[in-house]
């Protein structure tokens, strides 16, 4: 689900709002008079002209993006003849915001990054105060974070929000801080990290209350309610009621948020209080408010709540119809659609429509796998972008240091310059190597985090839903099918990254995993229960076994682990179809990357139709 950007202008235009109010009354009176000044016969000085350009680009921003961009370009061109770097930053930001408003995110990012680089150079210019530079950084970080937020790139958005956060807190920008923490909480919730979401929503409430802005408090409380539903219904109801009290008095301007709050209160009554009457009252109010202005997500949420209530009341046909309406409301497939498929499966089973139920269960499993893969790949891609960004920042800082060295280096003899150059080259090689290792480590940490998140989603979300579904089943065949699905889901969730790995060590975790698979044997040689890099080794074996089962059609797989004082050896062999000629798959490339990062060795012996043997040796650091 795409995270909603809350009051975008407050983050993107922290300093621009005051200008906008001063420069235009939204009927063009001020902008008209300024354009008349520019068209007058009297020649204007560059200072008078640049001030007019600045006022016009801000004045037109909310009413005519093309005109705002035109004047911003003129301001950029004129700024090069003078020491007007801050004016150029403002103009570049206007160009970025205009591109952002038209959905041209790549162009917008280019303008924002150009403005950031220019702000970096302002730090060495005594004409600009620290507060001016901080202001530029804050609004640019916020704008870039919002841009990534709109593209569902949660890791990148959070990284830039976190860059803006200390500046907002430094200058006590309470409203902007409340919005920033709210946006980060929404992103963490979309990633399944409810602990971080809870902390950030609480921060958003704190800053919202300090700013005495009831809308900001309501937004944060609405988010808190969603986090608490399913774990603490008392806290969920308390938070939802605070939001409800505000949105009930502002239903026209906050229509969609009011519907979301009604749905949250309905689920509190349904699941936490077992009060069908009150839950149905909230749902009926939501149904009555659906209109043309209703967002697709809110419309689907209301219909899903109605379906849940109908199921609880054993009104199977009504539950099915509402679930179908929920799916039809939002044409963009999201993770939340899986909940609608669960409702449909349950209703169809009770109605005796077993074939339809099987199809909906298949949608659930396929959707879980598809979204898990998508989130994993997206996370790796975003880590790559973060790595490249940090690398570029390091290069900029090195260039700044190099320039300073050159200023002083003219006083030194040629031999000293040569020594400095050699030292710089050694530092560059060291930074390059450390960045590469950091990227590999970030990818490994990202994979482990994704495994934990996916395991939690399977166990908590889907597991709880299927268990709830089973309680309403009466057909023996449906019960058996559901029990099998629950068992398989729990098995997969457990073995993604088992708790036994941390508690009892690699030997126990791998033995349990191999014994859970058909025709997979496991042997361990060594006395130690714990060995170095256990999580990395477990992920390698897990991926090799799965590849042998899924891609090589192996009938028997052997896993051997040898723990020696100087190294840990892994041997995985199978009698499958072997590895085909051609480029290696993504999974094998990942394994090679992990082994290389640990200074290990990997050997593959495979013949078509004669199986595969993979040997890995990881040294232990003394």
């Amino acid at each position: 689900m795409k995270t909603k950007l809350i009051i975008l202008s407050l983050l993107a235009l922290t300093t621009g709002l005051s200008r906008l109010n001063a420069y235009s009354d939204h009927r063009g009176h001020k902008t008209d008079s300024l354009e008349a000044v520019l068209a007058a016969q009297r020649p204007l000085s560059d200072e008078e002209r640049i001030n007019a350009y600045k006022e016009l680009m801000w004045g037109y921003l909310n009413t005519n993006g093309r005109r705002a961009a035109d004047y911003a370009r003129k301001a950029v061109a004129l700024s090069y003849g003078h020491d007007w770097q801050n004016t150029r930053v403002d103009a570049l930001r206007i160009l970025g915001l205009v591109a952002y408003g038209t959905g041209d995110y790549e162009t917008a990012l280019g303008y924002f990054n150009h403005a950031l680089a220019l702000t970096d150079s302002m730090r060495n210019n005594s004409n600009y105060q620290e507060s001016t530079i901080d202001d530029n950084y804050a609004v640019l970080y916020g704008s870039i974070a919002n841009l990534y937020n709109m593209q569902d790139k949660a890791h990148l958005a959070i990284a830039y929000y976190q860059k803006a956060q200390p500046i907002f807190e430094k200058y006590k920008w309470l409203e902007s801080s409340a919005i920033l923490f709210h946006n980060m909480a929404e992103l963490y919730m979309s990633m399944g990290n409810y602990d971080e979401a809870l902390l950030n929503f609480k921060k958003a409430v704190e800053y919202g209350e300090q700013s005495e802005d009831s809308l900001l408090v309501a937004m944060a409380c609405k988010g808190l309610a969603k986090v608490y539903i399913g774990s603490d219904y008392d806290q969920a109801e308390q938070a939802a009621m605070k939001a409800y009290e505000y949105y009930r008095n502002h239903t026209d301007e906050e229509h969609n948020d009011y519907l979301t709050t009604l749905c949250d209160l309905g689920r509190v009554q349904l699941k936490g209080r077992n009060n069908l009457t009150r839950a149905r009252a909230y749902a009926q109010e939501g149904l009555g408010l659906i209109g043309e202005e209703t967002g697709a997500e809110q419309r689907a949420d209301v219909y899903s709540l109605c379906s849940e209530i109908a199921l609880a009341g054993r009104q199977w046909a009504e539950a099915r119809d509402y679930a179908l309406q929920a799916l039809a409301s939002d044409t963009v497939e999201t993770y939340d659609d899986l909940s609608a498929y669960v409702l449909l499966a349950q209703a169809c089973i009770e109605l005796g429509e077993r074939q339809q139920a099987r199809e909906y269960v298949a949608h659930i499993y396929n959707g879980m796998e598809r979204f898990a893969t998508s989130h994993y790949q997206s996370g790796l891609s975003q880590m790559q972008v973060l790595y490249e960004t940090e690398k570029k920042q390091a290069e900029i800082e090195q260039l700044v240091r190099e320039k300073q060295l050159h200023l002083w280096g003219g006083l030194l003899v040629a031999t000293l310059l040569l020594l400095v150059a050699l030292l710089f080259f050694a530092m560059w090689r060291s930074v390059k190597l450390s960045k590469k290792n950091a990227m590999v480590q970030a990818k490994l940490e990202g994979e482990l985090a994704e495994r934990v998140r996916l395991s939690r989603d399977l166990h908590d979300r889907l597991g709880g839903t299927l268990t709830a579904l089973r309680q309403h089943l009466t057909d023996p065949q449906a019960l058996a099918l559901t029990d099998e699905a629950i068992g398989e889901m729990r098995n997969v969730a457990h073995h993604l990254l088992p708790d036994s790995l941390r508690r009892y060590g690699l030997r126990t975790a791998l033995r349990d995993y191999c014994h859970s698979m058909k025709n997979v044997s496991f042997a361990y040689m060594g006395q130690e229960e714990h060995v170095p890099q256990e999580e990395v080794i477990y992920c390698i074996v897990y991926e090799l076994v799965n590849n042998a089962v899924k891609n090589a059609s192996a009938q028997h797989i052997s896993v051997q682990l040898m723990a020696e004082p100087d190294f840990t050896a892994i041997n995985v062999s199978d009698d499958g179809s072997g590895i085909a000629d051609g480029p290696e798959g993504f999974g094998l490339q990942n394994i090679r990357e992990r082994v290389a990062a640990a200074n290990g060795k990997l050997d593959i012996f495979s013949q078509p139709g004669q199986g595969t043997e993979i040997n890995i040796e990881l040294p232990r650091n003394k």
Side-chain angles (χ1 to χ4, degrees):
M1 180 178 69
K2 179 167 288 189
T3 306
K4 179 182 178 184
L5 287 178
I6 305 299
I7 313 181
L8 172 63
S9 60
L10 210 57
L11 277 177
L13 305 174
T14 302
T15 57
L17 282 177
S18 60
R19 295 180 184 138
L20 187 60
N21 292 334
Y23 302 150
S24 174
D25 63 1
H26 304 290
R27 292 187 299 273
H29 291 174
K30 182 66 173 176
T31 52
D32 285 348
S33 62
L34 284 169
E35 288 182 327
V37 170
L38 289 174
Q41 296 295 325
R42 182 179 70 86
L44 299 176
S45 67
D46 283 354
E47 200 163 311
E48 291 173 320
R49 191 173 296 277
I50 198 70
N51 286 333
Y53 289 158
K54 287 193 295 184
E55 293 190 7
L56 286 164
M57 70 186 186
W58 283 108
Y60 275 121
L61 180 60
N62 274 13
T63 59
N64 191 325
R66 184 184 61 79
R67 299 293 295 277
D70 287 343
Y71 285 112
R73 292 188 187 93
K74 291 179 179 180
V76 169
L78 186 56
S79 71
Y80 280 106
H82 306 271
D83 185 17
W84 293 339
Q85 290 174 285
N86 198 53
T87 297
R88 199 180 317 151
V89 169
D90 277 353
L92 290 169
R93 185 148 52 93
I94 289 289
L95 290 169
L97 292 171
V98 172
Y100 178 101
T102 62
D104 189 353
Y105 298 138
E106 185 175 352
T107 299
L109 183 60
Y111 283 126
F112 292 148
N113 280 331
H114 189 175
L116 273 178
L118 190 57
T119 302
D120 287 337
S121 69
M122 289 168 58
R123 289 186 297 182
N124 299 318
N125 190 328
S126 60
N127 292 330
Y128 298 104
Q129 296 180 353
E130 180 184 1
S131 59
T132 299
I133 296 171
D134 284 343
D135 182 69
N136 287 349
Y137 278 129
V139 293
L140 289 168
Y141 289 150
S143 297
I144 294 173
N146 289 340
L147 185 150
Y148 283 130
N149 194 334
M150 286 297 292
Q151 298 177 79
D152 290 328
K153 295 180 178 179
H155 295 285
L156 290 168
I158 288 173
Y160 277 95
Y161 281 137
Q162 288 174 338
K163 288 183 177 184
Q165 173 190 334
I167 303 175
F168 285 4
E169 293 182 336
K170 176 180 177 180
Y171 294 100
K172 300 187 184 304
W173 295 341
L174 300 177
E175 294 87 351
S176 297
S177 295
I179 297 167
L180 181 145
F181 281 111
H182 176 278
N183 284 359
M184 286 203 295
E186 290 277 354
L187 289 164
Y188 278 121
M189 193 160 61
S190 73
M191 297 163 64
N193 190 338
Y194 292 96
D195 292 337
E196 285 295 329
L198 183 62
L199 290 174
N200 281 275
F201 275 132
K202 287 182 176 179
K203 277 279 191 181
V205 171
E206 176 186 340
Y207 280 105
E209 289 176 343
Q210 289 180 24
S211 70
E212 299 181 352
D213 190 319
S214 54
L215 171 58
L216 298 181
V217 175
M219 291 189 307
C221 287
K222 175 170 62 71
L224 276 176
K226 285 200 175 296
V227 175
Y228 280 126
I229 287 178
S231 60
D232 189 332
Y233 286 104
D234 289 335
Q235 292 279 12
E237 184 173 30
Q238 182 180 348
M241 285 305 299
K242 284 186 178 180
Y244 175 79
E245 289 169 2
Y246 177 84
Y247 292 132
R248 182 181 56 184
N249 295 319
H250 301 81
T251 53
D252 290 337
E253 58 268 40
E254 307 295 342
H255 173 79
N256 287 318
D257 286 333
Y258 183 51
L259 284 177
T260 298
T261 305
L262 286 174
C263 290
D264 290 340
L265 286 170
R267 290 188 174 91
V268 169
Q269 294 301 320
L270 177 64
K271 299 177 181 179
R273 307 284 185 253
N274 293 319
N275 191 331
L276 273 176
T277 302
R278 291 193 64 187
R280 190 174 286 115
Y282 285 122
Q284 289 300 318
E285 184 179 356
L287 283 173
L289 291 173
I290 290 179
E292 292 182 359
E293 71 277 22
T294 304
E297 293 176 9
Q298 289 73 29
R299 189 186 301 266
D301 199 18
V302 172
Y303 288 137
S304 292
L305 173 61
C306 291
S307 179
E308 294 168 28
I309 294 171
L311 282 176
R314 305 181 68 81
Q315 297 170 318
W316 316 123
E318 183 178 328
R320 177 195 59 195
D321 293 343
Y322 275 126
L324 287 171
Q325 285 182 276
L327 281 176
S329 296
D330 194 350
T331 56
V332 179
E333 187 177 27
T334 67
Y335 194 90
D336 291 336
D337 290 342
L338 299 183
S339 299
Y341 283 122
V342 170
L343 296 171
L344 283 168
Q346 182 175 348
C348 288
I349 289 172
E350 295 294 349
L351 290 168
E353 300 170 355
R354 293 184 177 84
Q355 182 57 36
Q356 280 292 106
R358 292 190 185 95
E359 291 178 7
Y360 291 134
V361 170
H363 271 295
I364 295 169
Y365 282 105
N366 292 337
M368 287 292 293
E369 182 177 0
R370 185 167 60 256
F371 283 114
T373 301
S374 174
H375 281 299
Y376 174 62
Q377 296 295 345
S378 176
L380 289 182
S381 175
Q382 292 174 61
M383 288 176 202
Q384 174 71 23
V385 173
L386 282 174
Y387 161 71
E388 293 294 343
T389 303
E390 292 173 1
K391 177 182 175 183
K392 182 177 291 187
Q393 185 63 33
E395 291 173 349
I396 291 172
E397 291 175 358
Q398 292 229 13
L399 288 173
V400 171
R401 288 194 293 269
E402 183 183 3
K403 182 179 179 180
Q404 293 173 344
L405 285 173
H406 285 168
L407 291 174
W408 292 99
L411 304 176
L412 302 177
V413 296
T415 54
L416 182 59
L417 286 175
L418 178 61
L419 289 175
V420 171
L422 290 174
L423 178 60
F424 177 80
F425 178 72
M427 291 173 59
W428 175 81
R429 289 190 62 184
S430 175
V431 169
K432 184 177 180 181
L433 180 60
S434 64
K435 287 293 185 181
K436 181 179 179 181
N437 289 336
M439 176 184 171
V440 173
Q441 184 62 31
K443 289 175 69 176
L444 292 177
E445 292 172 357
E447 180 184 355
L448 293 174
E450 280 298 310
R451 283 175 174 267
V452 172
R453 188 191 67 79
L454 181 56
S455 174
R456 175 175 175 175
D457 279 357
L458 285 170
H459 186 275
D460 294 349
R461 286 193 180 184
L462 187 56
T465 305
L466 289 175
T467 301
L469 183 149
R470 188 187 184 284
Q471 295 175 356
H472 296 280
L473 300 178
T474 57
D475 182 80
Q477 183 180 359
L479 281 168
L481 176 64
T482 304
D483 287 339
E484 181 181 353
I486 292 173
E488 182 63 23
M489 179 275 300
R490 287 176 175 169
N491 189 44
V492 172
H494 170 71
H495 290 300
L496 278 172
L497 199 66
D499 186 60
S500 59
L501 181 64
R502 177 180 58 82
R503 298 177 61 187
Y504 304 115
L506 182 64
R507 177 180 182 177
T508 300
L510 281 181
R511 182 192 62 202
D512 291 347
Y513 171 62
C514 292
H515 288 175
S516 72
M517 305 286 287
K518 293 181 180 179
N519 302 323
V520 179
S521 62
F522 175 70
Y524 182 89
M525 286 161 278
Q527 300 299 320
E528 301 172 74
E529 291 297 325
H530 287 276
V531 299
Q533 307 182 86
E534 289 187 325
E535 291 179 335
V536 174
I537 295 174
Y538 182 88
C539 291
I540 288 174
V541 174
Y542 182 95
E543 192 153 346
L544 288 175
V545 171
N546 273 280
N547 284 345
V549 172
K550 294 180 180 179
N551 301 327
S553 303
Q555 299 300 312
H556 182 265
I557 303 169
S558 171
V559 177
Q560 297 182 24
L561 185 68
M562 180 183 298
E564 292 292 337
D566 296 325
F567 65 91
T568 303
I570 308 161
N571 176 276
V572 179
S573 59
D574 65 73
D575 58 0
S577 59
I579 298 176
D581 293 333
E584 290 182 350
F586 183 73
L588 194 55
Q589 291 177 11
N590 267 348
I591 292 173
R592 283 193 183 278
E593 210 170 55
R594 297 188 193 107
V595 173
N599 295 318
K601 296 189 300 182
L602 182 147
D603 296 308
I604 301 175
F605 305 94
S606 180
Q607 291 291 332
Q610 297 182 22
T612 301
E613 180 177 355
I614 297 178
N615 292 309
I616 298 172
E617 185 175 304
L618 302 177
R620 299 195 187 187
N621 294 326
K622 294 294 186 182

